[in-house]
């Protein structure tokens, strides 16, 4: 689709009816399948095929001899239209019988002109890469009601005219933008009608029950299906009209295009919640009240269960290449998630109270994008996000090192490796591990015995002689002989190995020494 096609505004007959009904008593409108496809007005001539993209002016009596077409058409008729035409399919604007067809043409042309003038002004704003604020300012006279646009975090992007009764926004100290007050947010979070509006795709009416007046609202979605914000037209100055639904959807489409062009996400989200998350994963401290206020924008709580995931956008193959696109894609596909980035490094936070199937959601993204990822442990202290981002980063690092078929590792999968590697940064393995094991390995090397393997198997089997002899394929008498020999060489007996701290040290030493062999 070309740019001209994307920003073109076609009318439907409802828009004309809204314009004309006040000046023509007795006007009747039959909506039928009122398609938004009209490019202009024409007169009907006997024998002509009724056009689909033009509203056709006709004397109703002429329709008596015209077969009702299977294809949808829009009629502007003088006089009562035959009943067979009023079949719920065709759209009809029915004027009194004595109405002059030339007057119909003039009324329709004037209505077309007003709508086209508005659409042309918006088109010019978009073509010169103007702002959302310019689009809204040009639309206030058209809708004859105040309107505003907010983003997904309820920051006001544009409100050219404010009227008494509208939300009394307050200034966000961090960004300088106006934002819905917390008490208003809490009210919305408990309103069933408002919650039901968060998934709608077309222009809808929000009732007067909550605020005392009706709104037309249109949710703004990005190409990946991610909620970007909302256009709201408030019924405070003039009654809302049915045709304004189509106009509101057109305006919302241009707002979405403008937001995507101007990198709106970077200018608003990054300065609020995303900026805080970016600071937190870098180690910057924020006060608990500030963190609580920020995460409340997406209905999160400080004590909710969370998991942090780290993956890198440079691994993405055959999909959007930029980090911003990957973040938008993740947020669209994974419920209860936020994703921000620094260069190619992507941090994903998932609220598990909103999504307890996150592993399957993420697995599809990793598989399709050929990502590797690291997952933190589950945590409940959002203010300690930086620690869990570090866990996720370490898990990703080990996932790459192992270079196996797994798409991701959790911190729990690699925690012991990390502890072992951390110890080995200061000491060589032979200096770090239990001296008894090192002594036994040397004895085996000098005497060609298998006492070290016997001791390791015995310890890892929790000192179970039956399991140990079975695993080593030796008889019990041979095993007991070896254990006595091990005690002679190392001083270790079953009582020593059962002591919790000593047992842990021996097991960790075995783990480190086995990693060296690999």
């Amino acid at each position: 689709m070309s740019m001209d096609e994307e920003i073109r505004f076609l009318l439907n007959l409802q828009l004309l009816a809204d314009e004309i009904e006040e000046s023509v008593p007795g006007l009747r409108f039959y909506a039928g399948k009122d398609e938004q496809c009209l490019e202009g007005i024409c007169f009907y001539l006997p024998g002509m095929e009724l056009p689909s993209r033009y509203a056709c002016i006709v004397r109703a009596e002429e329709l008596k001899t015209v077969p009702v077409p299977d294809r949808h058409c829009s009629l502007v008729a003088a006089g009562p239209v035959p009943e067979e035409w009023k079949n719920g399919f065709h759209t009809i604007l029915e004027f009194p019988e004595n109405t002059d067809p030339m007057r119909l043409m003039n009324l329709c042309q004037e209505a077309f002109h007003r709508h086209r003038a508005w659409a042309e002004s918006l088109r010019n704003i978009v073509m010169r890469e103007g702002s959302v604020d310019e689009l809204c300012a040009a639309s206030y006279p058209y809708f004859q009601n105040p309107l505003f646009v907010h983003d997904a975090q309820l920051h006001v992007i544009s409100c050219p005219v404010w009227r008494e009764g509208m939300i009394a926004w307050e200034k966000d100290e961090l960004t300088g933008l106006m934002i819905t007050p917390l008490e208003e947010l809490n009210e919305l979070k408990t309103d069933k009608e408002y919650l039901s509006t968060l998934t709608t795709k077309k222009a809808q009416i929000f009732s007067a029950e909550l605020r005392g007046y009706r709104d037309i609202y249109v949710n703004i979605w990005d190409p990946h299906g991610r909620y970007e914000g909302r256009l709201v037209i408030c019924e405070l100055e003039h009654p809302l009209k049915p045709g304004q639904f189509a106009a509101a959807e057109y305006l919302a489409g241009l707002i979405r295009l403008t937001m995507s062009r101007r990198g709106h996400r970077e200018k608003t989200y990054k300065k609020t919640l995303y900026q805080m998350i970016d600071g937190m994963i870098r180690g910057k401290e924020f006060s608990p009240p500030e963190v609580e206020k920020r995460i409340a924008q997406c209905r999160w709580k400080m004590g909710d269960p969370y998991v942090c995931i780290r993956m890198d956008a440079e691994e993405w193959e055959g999909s959007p290449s930029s980090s911003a696109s990957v973040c938008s894609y993740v947020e669209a596909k994974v419920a209860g998630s936020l994703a921000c980035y620094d260069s190619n490094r992507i941090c994903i936070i998932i609220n598990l109270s909103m999504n307890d199937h996150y592993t399957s959601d993420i697995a599809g993204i990793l598989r399709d994008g050929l990502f590797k990822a690291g997952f933190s442990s589950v945590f409940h202290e959002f203010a300690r996000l930086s620690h869990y981002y570090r866990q996720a980063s370490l898990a990703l690092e080990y996932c790459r090192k192992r270079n196996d078929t797994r798409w991701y590792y959790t911190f729990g999968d690699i925690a012991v490796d990390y502890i072992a590697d951390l110890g080995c940064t200061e000491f060589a393995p032979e200096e770090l591990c239990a001296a008894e094991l090192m002594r036994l390995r040397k004895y085996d090397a000098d005497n060609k015995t298998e006492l070290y393997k016997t001791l390791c198997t015995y310890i890892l089997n929790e000192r179970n002689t039956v399991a140990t002899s079975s695993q080593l394929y030796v008889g019990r008498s041979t095993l007991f002989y070896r254990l006595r020999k091990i005690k002679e060489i190392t001083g270790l007996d079953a009582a020593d190995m059962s002591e919790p701290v000593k047992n842990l040290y021996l097991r960790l030493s075995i783990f480190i020494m086995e990693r060296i062999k690999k």
Side-chain angles (χ1 to χ4, degrees):
M1 182 182 290
S2 69
M3 176 64 69
D4 281 343
E5 290 175 319
E6 188 174 2
I7 63 178
R8 191 180 185 191
F9 182 52
L10 298 174
L11 277 64
N12 58 17
L13 214 53
Q14 181 69 70
L15 285 162
L16 298 186
D18 290 348
E19 288 285 309
I20 297 169
E21 63 180 356
E22 294 180 7
S23 58
V24 180
L27 184 68
R28 293 184 177 181
F29 179 67
Y30 301 91
K33 186 182 176 182
D34 191 17
E35 297 179 347
Q36 194 177 342
C37 62
L38 299 180
E39 299 177 356
I41 302 288
C42 70
F43 282 112
Y44 173 75
L45 298 176
M48 73 178 286
E49 182 180 357
L50 290 168
S52 60
R53 301 185 70 84
Y54 283 80
C56 195
I57 296 175
V58 60
R59 291 188 183 276
E61 61 184 25
E62 294 181 280
L63 295 174
K64 294 177 181 178
T65 60
V66 178
V68 180
D70 295 331
R71 183 167 42 84
H72 174 268
C73 59
S74 301
L75 301 177
V76 179
V81 172
E83 290 301 316
E84 62 266 26
W85 286 82
K86 302 172 185 177
N87 56 10
F89 180 63
H90 300 295
T91 307
I92 302 167
L93 191 54
E94 189 179 83
F95 286 77
E97 190 169 8
N98 59 352
T99 308
D100 182 2
M102 290 304 298
R103 185 179 179 225
L104 296 185
M105 174 61 80
N106 290 337
L107 288 170
C108 292
Q109 288 285 31
E110 288 172 7
F112 253 96
H113 176 75
R114 192 177 92 81
H115 293 296
R116 280 178 167 168
W118 169 68
E120 186 64 22
S121 67
L122 299 191
R123 181 181 183 279
N124 290 337
I125 291 169
V126 171
M127 294 301 288
R128 61 177 172 79
E129 299 193 6
S131 66
V132 172
D133 206 47
E134 289 177 278
L135 292 173
C136 291
S139 298
Y140 168 65
Y142 174 80
F143 287 104
Q144 298 181 303
N145 274 309
L147 66 157
F148 65 92
V149 178
H150 67 68
D151 64 19
Q153 308 305 320
L154 297 182
H155 288 92
V156 178
I157 300 171
S158 175
C159 179
V161 175
W162 187 88
R163 291 288 182 260
E164 191 69 35
M166 295 174 67
I167 296 173
W169 295 292
E170 59 185 28
K171 191 172 184 179
D172 186 323
E173 295 179 0
L174 183 61
T175 65
L177 299 172
M178 303 304 290
I179 190 171
T180 303
L182 188 58
E183 58 271 19
E184 293 271 0
L185 279 174
N186 291 333
E187 188 176 25
L188 292 174
K189 284 190 289 185
T190 59
D191 184 77
K192 290 183 179 179
E193 182 185 8
Y194 175 77
L195 295 176
S196 71
T197 70
L198 298 176
T199 57
T200 58
K201 302 294 184 181
K202 296 280 189 177
Q204 307 279 344
I205 283 283
F206 190 77
S207 76
E209 185 174 340
L210 186 63
R211 305 205 55 81
Y213 58 85
R214 299 187 307 162
D215 296 325
I216 290 178
Y217 73 91
V218 189
N219 289 333
I220 300 169
W221 304 90
D222 77 359
H224 298 299
R226 180 184 180 278
Y227 178 68
E228 290 284 278
R230 178 175 291 185
L231 164 67
V232 181
I233 302 164
C234 307
E235 191 177 36
L236 285 171
E237 296 180 359
H238 292 86
L240 297 173
K241 298 178 179 180
Q244 290 178 337
F245 282 67
E249 289 173 9
Y250 174 70
L251 174 58
L254 297 186
I255 289 170
R256 183 200 61 76
L257 178 62
T258 302
M259 287 169 63
S260 65
R261 275 180 167 181
R262 297 174 68 85
H264 180 76
R265 171 178 172 143
E266 286 299 303
K267 295 185 178 183
T268 56
Y269 299 172
K270 216 32 170 162
K271 291 181 180 179
T272 55
L273 177 60
Y274 289 85
Q275 185 184 59
M276 184 190 74
I277 291 173
D278 184 67
M280 290 177 76
I281 63 179
R282 293 170 180 268
K284 183 178 178 181
E285 293 187 3
F286 293 83
S287 68
E290 186 175 6
V291 175
E292 184 174 23
K293 178 182 177 182
R294 294 287 172 224
I295 65 174
Q297 296 172 7
C298 47
R299 303 188 298 282
W300 288 6
K301 298 176 183 177
M302 292 285 275
D304 284 347
Y306 298 96
V307 69
C308 181
I309 301 171
R310 160 76 189 278
M311 64 185 192
D312 292 351
E314 66 184 4
E315 297 172 328
W316 187 275
E317 295 181 10
S319 297
S321 58
S322 72
S323 297
S325 295
V326 175
C327 287
S328 293
Y329 184 79
V330 168
E331 290 183 355
K333 294 293 183 181
V334 183
S337 69
L338 288 175
C340 62
Y341 64 92
D342 173 32
S343 185
N344 69 307
R345 295 184 293 274
I346 293 174
C347 170
I348 303 166
I349 306 162
I350 302 173
N351 186 318
L352 304 188
S353 67
M354 296 181 174
N355 185 351
D356 57 358
H357 302 293
Y358 71 95
T359 51
S360 58
D361 293 338
I362 288 290
I365 294 173
L366 300 179
R367 181 183 61 252
D368 295 343
L370 301 180
F371 278 115
K372 294 283 189 178
F375 287 51
S376 75
S377 303
V378 175
F379 61 99
H380 293 80
E381 298 177 75
F382 198 91
R384 293 176 62 81
L385 174 63
S386 62
H387 299 267
Y388 294 97
Y389 177 71
R390 173 66 175 154
Q391 282 190 358
S393 297
L394 287 167
L396 174 60
E397 180 182 327
Y398 279 88
C399 184
R400 286 174 170 162
K401 281 181 182 178
R402 293 179 180 178
N403 196 29
D404 54 23
T405 58
R406 290 183 58 177
W407 295 106
Y408 67 88
Y409 276 84
T410 68
F411 183 70
D413 294 330
I414 59 91
V416 177
D417 288 89
Y418 175 64
I419 292 169
D421 287 341
L422 200 62
C424 289
T425 58
E426 187 170 353
F427 297 99
E430 59 270 20
E431 299 167 339
L432 186 64
C433 295
E436 294 90 341
L437 294 177
M438 302 306 299
R439 194 178 309 140
L440 210 54
R441 286 186 75 175
K442 185 177 186 309
Y443 183 90
D444 280 349
D446 293 341
N447 297 280
K448 296 184 171 30
T449 55
E450 293 188 335
L451 298 180
Y452 171 79
K453 181 180 178 181
T454 300
L455 179 59
C456 291
T457 306
Y458 183 61
I459 291 171
L460 295 178
N461 279 315
E462 299 290 353
R463 303 171 308 283
N464 185 310
T465 55
V466 174
T468 302
S469 61
S470 174
Q471 191 171 335
L472 292 173
Y473 300 103
V474 298
R476 294 188 68 189
S477 58
T478 302
L479 175 61
F480 285 122
Y481 167 78
R482 290 183 182 182
L483 291 175
R484 288 194 298 272
K485 191 68 177 176
I486 288 169
K487 183 178 179 181
E488 289 176 13
I489 298 168
T490 65
L492 288 172
D493 59 18
D496 294 322
M497 288 182 270
S498 66
E499 197 279 318
V501 174
K502 184 67 174 180
N503 182 271
L504 176 62
Y505 182 35
L506 288 168
R507 292 174 73 92
L508 183 59
S509 296
I510 293 169
F511 179 78
I512 293 171
M513 293 169 72
E514 290 303 304
R515 290 175 77 236
I516 295 170
K517 287 167 61 177
K518 294 177 183 178

